[in-house]
């Protein structure tokens, strides 16, 4: 046993230092990155995390923070050097406090997102962060990636949902910023540095998160329409008719939907006829369900009359609504079953989304005739998952992967012409670390490096990620 291993064992106990069977920690969800850690350490308290980091700082051992390991950009996966220690917060999975007057919950960083949602519901509250990985991602990871998901339209990104943080700095010092304050103008708001930092500035050990009143009624509708432009018209119409009760608004292409029904035989498209595009939407309210149902029906009826949509199915009950959402939630997994494609997670001003899709489709078709974009995502907040599958006649899945950089260049340059972002919600991790150099200004990159150097002068906290 190495000296480092024996000292880590003294801190967390032998059962919590993993020395083999690294696969669940070392490989990412998409099986794109296969890292080789020195060890995996699983502290049980913030003090243990602090002691582990202090030891790593003393020995200049690089650390990779990890929560649920569902990230899509390789941020929580070690490199192949065999030198990096994964610090997993998975054991720290308790809800510490629910305050229904302050409308906050204090949680350890390893709490599973779904557990938090369920705990909030037990208290008649809502924690609105919602994404398909919610059964396995953990709040420390959600905060570190500033996760988005399907309800950003109404409640904002994770950044808007975090009120306080407790963080172990790369020095091993424990910063206790676990405050549940709605107002606090006492200088730089440090928590925002750690939100979305993808583990490069410290290890989040606990958080105070914001709760909302639980909605009493939700109406889910699956809508057929002609084009992304029509989806923007529908978005504007629905916002006008229903205001901030519009909670989710997801665009799905016909091809994207067909992959879900192909690979999940138990799931059926809610509408009988085919359509090039669909929208899945939720409208929720803390008042009467019958009144909401009527308002949604009227709004969609008007959209039909105005020729914005072809057809729609409104879920008659919660079960039907859930079935509609299962189609959306299984989109990522259905693409895994179909075979590898080239993923993009882009942000575009909402009003320009349709123009972007037309422009990017045309540029790709010119470069690769027969290319098959799988477009879907959170169009209500300007976030498109624009995944590109290979033309069937000239490429195989393997030869298509060699085009990765060129396709990225076409898509991301197109994003830049719309003043968009090459990562809307998944982050930079390892996947886009080189690419951001092309799209962020030298000034932005310099300030980011200065912040990193100020907080982590030894560069031990998730080195090689983000910058
Ligand atoms: P991990 O993967 O463990 O880590 C993610 C990053 O955070 C890494 O850089 C890691 O080093 C760092 N980190 C983890 N824990 C800590 C900590 N305690 N302190 C400091 N740094 C830490 N993302 C979205 O935004 N929206 C979606 O709709 C969405 N849908 C998804 C659907 C599927 C099927 C899958 C597989 C993923 C999806 N994701 C989505 C991506 C992923 O689930 C999110 O990025 C999630 O927030 C990651 O949480 P995690 O606990 O798995 O973090
Ligand atoms: C989603 O919205 O389903 C995710 O962000 C995952 C993906 O991009 O595949
Ligand atoms: Zn998404």
């Amino acid at each position: 046993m190495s000296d480092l291993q024996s000292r880590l064992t003294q801190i967390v106990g032998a059962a919590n230092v993993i020395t083999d069977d690294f696969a669940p920690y070392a490989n990412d969800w998409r099986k794109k990155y296969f890292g080789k850690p020195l060890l995996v350490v699983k502290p049980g308290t913030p003090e243990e995390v602090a002691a582990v980091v202090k030891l790593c700082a003393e020995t200049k051992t690089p650390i990779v923070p990890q929560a649920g390991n569902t990230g899509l950009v390789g941020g929580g996966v070690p490199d192949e050097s065999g030198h990096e220690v994964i610090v997993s917060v998975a054991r720290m999975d308790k809800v510490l406090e629910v305050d229904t007057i302050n409308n906050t919950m204090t949680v350890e960083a390893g709490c599973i997102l779904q557990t938090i949602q369920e705990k909030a519901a037990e208290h008649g509250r809502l924690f609105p962060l919602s994404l398909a990985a919610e059964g396995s991602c953990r709040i420390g990871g959600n905060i570190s990636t500033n996760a988005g998901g399907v309800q950003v339209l109404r409640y904002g990104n994770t950044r808007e949902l975090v009120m306080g943080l407790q963080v172990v700095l790369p020095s091993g010092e424990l910063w206790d910023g676990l405050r549940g304050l709605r107002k606090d103008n006492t200088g730089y708001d440090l928590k925002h540095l750690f939100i979305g930092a993808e583990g490069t500035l410290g290890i989040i050990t606990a958080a105070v998160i914001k709760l909302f009143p639980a909605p009493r009624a939700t109406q889910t509708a699956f809508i057929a329409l002609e084009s992304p432009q029509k989806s923007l018209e529908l978005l504007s119409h629905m916002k006008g008719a229903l205001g901030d009760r519009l909670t989710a608004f997801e665009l799905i292409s016909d091809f994207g939907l067909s992959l879900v029904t192909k690979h999940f035989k138990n799931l059926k498209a809610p509408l009988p006829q085919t359509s090039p595009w669909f929208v899945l939407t939720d409208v929720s309210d803390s008042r009467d369900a019958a009144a909401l149902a009527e308002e949604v029906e009227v709004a969609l009826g008007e959209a039909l009359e105005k020729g914005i949509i072809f057809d729609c199915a409104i879920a008659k009950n919660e079960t039907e609504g859930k079935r509609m959402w299962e189609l959306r939630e299984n989109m990522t997994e259905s693409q895994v079953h179909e075979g590898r494609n080239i993923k993009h997670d882009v942000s575009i001003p909402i009003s320009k989304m349709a123009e972007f899709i037309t422009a990017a489709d045309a540029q790709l078709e010119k470069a690769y005739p027969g290319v098959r974009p799988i477009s879907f995502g959170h169009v209500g907040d300007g976030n498109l998952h624009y995944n590109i599958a290979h033309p069937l006649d000239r490429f195989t899945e393997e030869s298509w992967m060699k085009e990765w950089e060129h396709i990225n260049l076409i898509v991301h340059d197109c994003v830049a012409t719309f003043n968009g972002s090459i990562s809307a919600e998944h982050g930079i991790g390892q996947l886009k670390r080189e690419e951001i150099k092309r799209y962020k200004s030298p000034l932005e990159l310099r300030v980011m490096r200065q912040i990193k150097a100020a907080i982590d002068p030894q560069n031990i906290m998730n080195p090689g990620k983000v910058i």
Side-chain angles (χ1 to χ4, degrees):
M1 190 188 292
S2 70
D3 181 48
L4 181 71
Q5 185 182 338
S6 85
R7 290 174 72 188
L8 287 169
T9 304
Q10 277 168 24
I11 299 168
V12 299
N16 300 309
V17 178
I18 296 169
T19 55
D20 51 16
D21 196 13
F22 292 138
Y25 308 92
N27 309 334
D28 70 322
W29 188 89
R30 288 170 66 198
K31 306 282 176 287
K32 180 169 169 57
Y33 296 102
F34 297 90
K36 192 169 160 246
L38 178 63
L39 298 163
V40 179
V41 188
K42 300 180 83 173
T45 63
E47 290 72 24
E48 284 185 10
V49 176
V52 166
V53 175
K54 198 163 241 158
L55 175 56
C56 289
E58 181 196 315
T59 54
K60 295 191 174 45
T61 306
I63 294 168
V64 181
Q66 194 179 89
N69 197 18
T70 68
L72 296 174
V73 292
V77 176
D79 65 16
E80 291 167 18
S81 66
H83 296 317
E84 299 188 332
V85 168
I86 295 177
V87 177
S88 165
V89 294
R91 280 178 66 219
M92 300 165 54
D93 61 354
K94 287 182 285 303
V95 171
L96 300 173
E97 190 195 13
V98 181
D99 182 338
T100 53
I101 294 180
N102 202 34
N103 273 316
T104 49
M105 194 189 287
T106 307
V107 291
E108 292 186 323
C111 261
I112 299 262
L113 175 56
Q114 193 174 331
T115 308
I116 294 174
Q117 296 165 342
E118 287 166 0
K119 184 58 101 178
E122 276 171 32
H123 290 266
R125 299 291 183 275
L126 172 78
F127 182 61
L129 180 63
S130 175
L131 47 133
E134 63 200 22
S136 42
C137 62
R138 297 173 187 269
I139 193 73
N142 302 139
I143 296 171
S144 300
T145 55
N146 184 25
V150 295
Q151 303 201 116
V152 172
L153 174 62
R154 179 162 181 183
Y155 297 101
N157 289 297
T158 301
R159 188 178 295 284
E160 278 84 45
L161 306 175
V162 175
M163 296 176 73
L165 282 184
Q166 183 189 56
V167 182
V168 173
L169 302 180
S171 58
E173 292 162 289
L174 183 62
W175 171 54
D176 188 354
L178 276 184
R179 300 183 193 98
L181 303 176
R182 281 176 173 72
K183 289 188 158 187
D184 179 13
N185 278 350
T186 52
Y188 305 144
D189 196 339
L190 295 185
K191 66 175 179 287
H192 286 299
L193 278 179
F194 301 100
I195 301 170
E198 300 181 55
T200 59
L201 298 178
I203 303 184
I204 296 170
T205 46
V208 180
I209 54 178
K210 212 183 264 182
L211 302 179
F212 296 80
R216 292 221 189 94
T218 299
Q219 285 288 309
T220 302
F222 198 87
I223 300 157
L225 32 70
E226 186 190 329
S227 62
Q229 180 56 37
K230 291 285 179 193
S231 80
L232 300 184
E233 288 171 33
L234 180 65
L235 177 66
S236 180
H237 170 76
M238 297 289 275
K239 269 193 178 163
L242 298 152
D244 64 3
R245 290 173 297 167
L246 190 63
T247 307
F249 193 92
E250 299 283 314
L251 182 68
I252 303 173
S253 70
D254 178 33
F255 183 33
L257 184 69
S258 73
L259 296 181
V260 186
T261 49
K262 175 177 170 189
H263 294 287
F264 291 85
K265 296 281 182 225
N266 60 328
L267 298 179
K268 298 272 169 283
L271 292 168
Q273 81 279 35
T274 56
S275 165
W277 294 90
F278 300 93
V279 161
L280 175 62
T281 186
D282 261 2
V283 184
S284 56
D285 200 339
S286 46
R287 289 179 303 152
D288 181 38
L292 181 70
E294 200 181 315
E295 281 186 73
V296 170
E297 210 166 303
V298 169
L300 288 172
E302 283 169 1
L304 259 174
E305 271 170 33
K306 288 182 182 170
I308 301 175
I309 65 176
F310 293 142
D311 196 4
C312 69
I314 303 178
K316 285 192 276 307
N317 49 44
E318 206 183 318
T319 314
E320 250 185 56
K322 279 197 176 137
R323 294 292 286 171
M324 289 179 181
W325 273 101
E326 279 177 48
L327 292 163
R328 172 63 184 86
E329 282 156 7
N330 285 303
M331 294 205 71
T332 305
E333 199 153 338
S334 71
Q335 289 169 47
V336 174
H337 295 307
E338 182 68 11
R340 296 186 69 190
N341 62 43
I342 301 179
K343 281 168 89 76
H344 306 91
D345 162 39
V346 306
S347 195
I348 303 286
I350 300 170
S351 52
K352 301 283 177 205
M353 181 59 85
E355 258 179 76
F356 165 77
I357 295 174
T358 307
D361 281 1
Q363 288 173 34
L364 286 171
E365 176 61 29
K366 192 167 168 215
Y368 300 96
V371 72
R372 297 170 304 149
I374 308 167
S375 306
F376 67 102
H378 322 289
V379 162
D381 36 80
N383 176 191
L384 186 73
H385 298 307
Y386 187 64
N387 299 345
I388 312 299
H390 62 87
L392 289 169
D393 52 352
R394 288 180 305 121
F395 286 90
T396 62
E397 209 182 302
E398 285 69 36
S399 64
W400 189 235
M401 287 306 121
K402 300 202 177 93
E403 303 301 313
W404 191 288
E405 276 180 31
H406 187 223
I407 303 270
N408 273 194
L409 190 70
I410 296 174
V411 173
H412 290 160
D413 277 2
C414 186
V415 167
T417 64
F418 287 88
N419 212 2
S421 165
I422 68 163
S423 176
E425 59 173 8
H426 296 160
I428 297 296
Q430 320 182 31
L431 185 70
K432 298 178 185 169
R433 186 195 56 211
E434 296 309 310
E435 269 192 278
I436 58 158
K437 294 179 188 158
R438 183 174 169 89
Y439 301 103
K440 276 200 173 298
S441 71
L443 186 145
E444 284 171 307
L445 291 168
R446 192 190 74 223
V447 175
M448 280 169 67
R449 286 196 195 100
Q450 284 169 336
I451 292 171
K452 169 74 174 167
I455 297 179
D456 183 18
Q458 296 200 100
N459 192 26
I460 59 161
M461 201 50 85
N462 220 0
K465 312 291 167 50
V466 185
I467 44 170

